[in-house]
């Protein structure tokens, strides 16, 4: 089956997401991965990636481009990484971010402390047989997960991977590093 994936292209590592999804979809002829900048771009998409970047900036650009309601009402699956995880939460510790409320969880930005910019960890992720090399860059964590949220991975600082219905969110960057197992898991969960 061909799949149409959008990548929210307002700020952040948009190109990396486009490349990773294109690669994850190579065996599905007719599939496409397109940038999303305005509400009309969401039409007909099966899924949307919300990239890493700066969640305060992406939040401001979502408002500016009139995308807030359209994203809240998006019927496909969302694949959110890092800043994306902040945006899809229900509650965020920073008032500059207006969260989309797609996943009932509370998220804390820059949860590793300001002096720790990035970190790598071999992470056990529920549903994967082998650990995943997770790259955290000024990453958030979820400090509370609500009803229906499946926790896929956790580290001492908090929850770093979740699934809720057709949405998945990661505090790290599965779009970097060429390991596409989480993209495939997402496409499987979506049933496409
Ligand atoms: N610290 C950023 C934020 O909260 C996220 C960093 C990232 O996406 N790599 O927006």
């Amino acid at each position: 089956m061909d799949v149409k994936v959008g990548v929210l292209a307002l700020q952040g590592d948009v190109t990396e997401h486009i490349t990773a999804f294109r690669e994850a979809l190579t065996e599905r002829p007719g599939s496409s991965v397109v940038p999303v900048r305005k509400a009309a771009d969401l039409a007909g998409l099966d899924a949307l990636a919300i990239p890493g970047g700066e969640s305060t900036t992406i939040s401001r650009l979502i408002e500016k481009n009139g995308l807030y309601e359209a994203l809240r009402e998006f019927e496909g699956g969302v694949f959110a990484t890092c800043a994306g995880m902040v945006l899809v939460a229900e509650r965020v510790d920073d008032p500059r971010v207006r969260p989309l409320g797609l996943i009932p969880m509370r998220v804390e930005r820059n949860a590793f402390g300001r002096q720790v910019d990035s970190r790598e960890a071999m992470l056990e992720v529920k549903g994967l047989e082998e650990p995943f090399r997770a790259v955290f860059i000024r990453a958030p964590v979820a400090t509370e997960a609500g009803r229906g949220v499946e926790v896929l991975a956790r580290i001492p600082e908090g929850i770093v991977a979740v699934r809720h219905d057709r949405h998945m969110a990661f505090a790290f960057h599965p779009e970097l590093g060429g390991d596409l197992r989480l993209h495939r898991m997402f496409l499987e969960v979506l049933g496409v």
Side-chain angles (χ1 to χ4, degrees), residues 49-130:
I50 304 187
E54 196 55 45
S55 54
T56 51
T57 305
I58 299 175
S59 187
R60 187 167 44 76
L61 293 172
I62 285 173
E63 302 286 341
K64 190 172 165 215
N65 289 22
L67 267 163
Y68 186 81
E69 291 304 329
L71 288 172
R72 275 180 68 91
E73 285 159 18
F74 180 60
E75 285 179 358
V78 170
F79 184 93
T81 76
C82 205
M85 178 168 172
V86 177
L87 289 158
V88 297
E90 202 168 81
R91 277 178 297 162
V92 176
D93 66 338
D94 188 329
R96 292 173 298 170
V97 176
R98 186 178 174 206
L100 294 163
L102 299 178
I103 300 183
M105 61 181 173
R106 178 198 285 271
V107 166
E108 202 180 295
R109 296 184 63 224
N110 302 321
F112 293 75
R114 307 229 167 236
Q115 65 279 39
V116 186
D117 250 21
S118 68
R119 184 198 294 183
E120 264 185 41
M122 291 309 288
L123 201 65
E124 298 284 346
V125 181
K126 196 169 166 186
L128 295 185
E129 283 181 15
E130 301 293 328

Side-chain angles (χ1 to χ4, degrees), residues 13-185:
D13 70 337
V14 175
T15 314
E16 289 80 353
H17 274 275
I18 291 177
T19 306
F21 264 109
R22 284 204 173 131
E23 179 135 2
L25 290 167
T26 43
E27 276 155 34
R28 296 165 190 252
S31 295
S32 56
V33 185
V34 295
V36 168
R37 296 195 181 88
K38 52 187 194 308
D41 298 337
L42 291 167
L45 295 182
D46 300 297
L48 177 74
I50 304 187
E54 196 55 45
S55 54
T56 51
T57 305
I58 299 175
S59 187
R60 187 167 44 76
L61 293 172
I62 285 173
E63 302 286 341
K64 190 172 165 215
N65 289 22
L67 267 163
Y68 186 81
E69 291 304 329
L71 288 172
R72 275 180 68 91
E73 285 159 18
F74 180 60
E75 285 179 358
V78 170
F79 184 93
T81 76
C82 205
M85 178 168 172
V86 177
L87 289 158
V88 297
E90 202 168 81
R91 277 178 297 162
V92 176
D93 66 338
D94 188 329
R96 292 173 298 170
V97 176
R98 186 178 174 206
L100 294 163
L102 299 178
I103 300 183
M105 61 181 173
R106 178 198 285 271
V107 166
E108 202 180 295
R109 296 184 63 224
N110 302 321
F112 293 75
R114 307 229 167 236
Q115 65 279 39
V116 186
D117 250 21
S118 68
R119 184 198 294 183
E120 264 185 41
M122 291 309 288
L123 201 65
E124 298 284 346
V125 181
K126 196 169 166 186
L128 295 185
E129 283 181 15
E130 301 293 328
F132 193 92
R133 181 181 294 279
V135 179
F136 296 92
I137 306 168
R138 293 183 299 109
V141 294
T143 51
E144 280 170 37
R147 187 189 291 262
V149 177
E150 184 181 12
V151 174
L152 302 177
R154 188 191 285 276
I155 58 173
E157 285 82 356
I159 296 163
V160 292
V162 296
R163 183 182 81 85
H164 179 252
D165 185 19
R166 60 196 189 279
H167 306 318
M168 290 175 94
F170 307 96
F172 50 95
H173 293 272
E175 73 279 16
L176 306 177
D179 183 345
L180 297 170
R181 286 177 293 162
L182 294 171
H183 289 74
R184 296 203 185 94
M185 187 195 285

